[in-house]
């Protein structure tokens, strides 16, 4: 590994930025990455038409293509670009060592791993890690973000483009249990949400240079939700930031306010875009109509029974789903009316957002259990419960034929052998 201990390193070559891959999945598809960020393309947690395993077994190896050890622990999810999968890790004394690692999706072989030393506070809750946020990519660059507020940009071969130790600029940006909001890349801008009881802010950072484009003061309270990108009715990129005070939409290049609605949003699960609906974890779930690009969105429906505790909601077909403690609840997407409740027996705590493709959903619980759900019927049906035997807190990534899962110290590829 290459070790780099520096406040900020800026690469010599300033490359032209590309349009970010993180946009509403229903508006257009990304061609740059299979799974470019936290919750995949458009933050949807869905990859249509993937051929995923219906079952797996650790003891026999059925449905498990490979399992590889990672440099340290982490609770962020993986991301995928072509035949490479990227993860972040933290380790060493107080988890001050941080790394971004690339593995081959076919063999699991490590292609490279770049190690850095954190410049901010690495402290976090024992169940979490300094490597808590999920990294992001635009298809040419990888941005890793850590609880220590270190922001690192590499190319796909692991070469350093720039490094920002944001705690140098904002020394009070931290909270007692760690930061975990995942970065977002949209239109060549890296958006980070760093919200706590002191130096609380959101910022847009130039993907090419690592320099601030804008910075917004935010409510001084802990918030772990991640920003989300969407397209307005006229096709313009927007970024939505949520807090206990409001839902705020901004222009990604300037940070200028597009609209703001006073509403108490949850501090852990993030919003979801489904066509012309913006589904926000507020009062359970609240759906906002995005049809009018000239004005703030209006409320379509709200349902308190659709309460995503930690994982974010997702939309499959005409239904919206959320995990409320150990119950998978679903509602009609158009009306918000409850349609089903499916209990997940002995699940334990569920932090990860479920993922889905076609007719199946996969829900990973902290103890390492995976619940496979059949979505074809009016009442979702549990097909089986399977165990990895190692803690899983991060949301998995999907490719055309596999599920990639980051457990505490390992990366798994779950796929049918055929």
């Amino acid at each position: 590994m290459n070790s780099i201990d520096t406040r900020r390193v800026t690469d010599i070559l300033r490359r032209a930025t590309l349009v970010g891959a993180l946009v509403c999945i229903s508006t257009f598809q990304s061609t740059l990455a299979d799974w470019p960020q936290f919750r995949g393309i458009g933050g949807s947690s869905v990859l249509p038409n993937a051929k995923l395993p219906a079952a797996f077994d650790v003891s026999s190896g059925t449905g498990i293509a490979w399992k590889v050890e990672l440099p340290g622990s982490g609770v962020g999810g993986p991301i995928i670009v072509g035949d490479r999968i990227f993860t972040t890790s933290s380790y060493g004394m107080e988890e001050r060592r941080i790394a971004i690692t690339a593995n081959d999706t076919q063999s699991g072989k490590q292609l490279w791993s770049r190690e850095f030393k954190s410049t901010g506070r690495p402290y976090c809750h024992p169940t979490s890690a300094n490597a808590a946020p999920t990294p992001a990519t635009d298809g040419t660059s990888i941005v890793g973000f850590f609880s220590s507020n270190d922001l690192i940009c590499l190319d796909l071969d692991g070469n350093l483009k720039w490094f920002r130790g944001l705690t140098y600029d904002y020394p009070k940006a931290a909270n007692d249990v760690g930061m975990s909001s995942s970065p977002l890349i949209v239109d060549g801008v890296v958006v980070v949400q760093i919200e706590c009881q002191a130096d609380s802010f959101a910022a847009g950072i130039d993907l090419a240079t690592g320099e601030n484009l804008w910075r917004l003061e935010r409510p001084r309270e802990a918030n772990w939700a991640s920003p989300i990108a969407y397209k307005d009715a006229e096709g313009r990129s927007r970024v939505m930031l949520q807090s206990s005070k409001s839902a705020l939409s901004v222009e990604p290049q300037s940070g200028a306010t597009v609209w703001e609605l006073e509403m108490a949003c949850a501090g852990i699960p993030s919003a979801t875009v489904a066509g012309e609906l913006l589904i926000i974890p507020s009062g359970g779930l609240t759906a906002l109509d995005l049809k009018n690009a000239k004005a703030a969105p209006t409320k379509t429906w709200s349902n308190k029974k659709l309460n995503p505790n930690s994982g974010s909601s997702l939309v499959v077909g005409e239904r919206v789903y959320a995990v409320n403690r150990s119950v998978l609840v679903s509602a009609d997407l158009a009306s918000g009316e409850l349609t089903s409740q499916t209990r997940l027996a002995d699940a334990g705590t569920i932090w990860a957002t479920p993922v889905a493709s076609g007719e199946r959903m996969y829900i990973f619980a902290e103890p390492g259990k995976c619940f496979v759900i059949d979505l074809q019927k009016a009442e979702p049906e549990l097909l089986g419960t399977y165990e990895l035997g190692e803690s899983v807190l991060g949301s998995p990534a999907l490719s055309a034929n596999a599920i990639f899962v980051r457990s505490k110290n390992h990366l798994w590829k779950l796929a049918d052998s055929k």
Side-chain angles (χ1 to χ4, degrees), residues 138-198:
D138 70 335
T140 62
S141 298
I142 302 298
V143 174
F145 191 44
F146 297 84
S147 177
S148 54
N149 291 327
D150 290 299
L151 186 64
I152 303 166
C153 183
L154 309 175
D155 67 18
L156 298 186
D157 294 320
N159 298 306
L160 182 68
K161 300 182 74 173
W162 49 261
F163 183 112
R164 286 288 303 274
L166 294 173
T167 304
Y168 278 108
D169 298 324
Y170 315 107
K172 296 180 181 179
N175 68 56
D176 294 336
V177 295
M179 316 290 281
S180 63
S181 178
S182 297
L184 174 73
I185 303 175
V186 56
D187 293 355
V189 180
V190 182
V191 181
V192 291
Q193 205 168 342
I194 301 172
E195 301 186 10
C196 58
Q197 293 86 348

Side-chain angles (χ1 to χ4, degrees), residues 88-372:
T88 56
S89 300
S90 53
Y91 45 92
M93 184 177 296
E94 299 178 330
E95 294 199 18
R96 290 188 178 276
R97 293 289 173 180
I98 51 181
I100 301 175
T101 302
N103 291 76
D104 179 77
T105 58
Q106 296 302 312
S107 65
K109 177 183 176 182
Q110 184 183 107
L111 302 174
W112 52 260
S113 189
R114 300 292 179 258
E115 179 189 299
F116 303 82
K117 183 179 179 182
S118 59
T119 63
R121 292 179 56 190
Y123 314 121
C124 56
H125 191 273
T127 60
S128 187
N130 193 356
T134 296
T137 181
D138 70 335
T140 62
S141 298
I142 302 298
V143 174
F145 191 44
F146 297 84
S147 177
S148 54
N149 291 327
D150 290 299
L151 186 64
I152 303 166
C153 183
L154 309 175
D155 67 18
L156 298 186
D157 294 320
N159 298 306
L160 182 68
K161 300 182 74 173
W162 49 261
F163 183 112
R164 286 288 303 274
L166 294 173
T167 304
Y168 278 108
D169 298 324
Y170 315 107
K172 296 180 181 179
N175 68 56
D176 294 336
V177 295
M179 316 290 281
S180 63
S181 178
S182 297
L184 174 73
I185 303 175
V186 56
D187 293 355
V189 180
V190 182
V191 181
V192 291
Q193 205 168 342
I194 301 172
E195 301 186 10
C196 58
Q197 293 86 348
D199 284 340
S200 188
F201 66 95
I205 295 170
D206 191 334
L207 178 61
T209 66
E211 299 296 327
N212 281 19
L213 295 174
W214 52 266
R215 178 177 177 272
L216 301 176
E217 297 286 342
R218 297 289 288 162
R220 293 193 171 189
E221 58 187 14
N223 184 10
W224 301 274
S226 300
I228 185 166
Y230 70 95
K231 292 284 187 177
D232 71 8
E234 296 181 353
R236 294 170 298 194
S237 296
R238 301 292 186 237
V239 173
M240 203 284 289
L241 308 171
Q242 67 188 63
S243 73
S244 66
K245 308 297 183 184
S246 72
L248 172 67
S249 175
V250 300
E251 198 281 325
Q253 290 286 343
S254 66
T257 296
V258 177
W259 52 258
E260 185 170 17
L261 295 176
E262 292 186 8
M263 56 193 302
C265 304
I268 299 178
S270 303
T272 302
V273 179
E276 295 178 324
L277 290 180
L278 177 59
I279 302 171
I280 298 178
S282 174
L285 287 179
T286 295
L288 303 179
D289 187 344
L290 296 171
K291 290 190 183 73
N292 188 350
K294 305 295 185 183
T298 55
K299 185 168 72 173
T300 299
W301 54 259
S302 185
N303 190 333
K304 293 182 179 180
K305 294 182 179 179
L306 298 170
N307 182 27
N309 289 118
S310 300
S312 305
S313 64
L314 69 161
V315 172
V316 182
E318 300 304 317
R319 289 189 180 183
V320 55
Y321 296 86
V323 176
N324 186 342
R325 299 186 185 277
S326 59
V327 178
L328 174 66
V329 293
S330 73
D332 178 75
L333 180 60
S335 66
E337 294 181 2
L338 197 69
T339 55
S340 70
Q341 299 184 72
T342 305
R343 184 164 296 279
L344 308 172
D346 302 319
T349 304
I350 299 175
W351 291 96
T353 296
V355 292
S357 181
E359 301 164 343
R360 286 198 291 269
M361 178 183 293
Y362 301 82
I363 304 172
F364 286 84
E366 182 180 353
K369 294 182 179 179
C370 176
F371 299 87
V372 182

Side-chain angles (χ1 to χ4, degrees), residues 58-75:
V58 172
S59 58
S60 67
T62 301
I64 298 177
W66 48 256
K67 169 190 175 184
V68 296
E69 189 172 1
L70 291 173
S73 63
V75 300

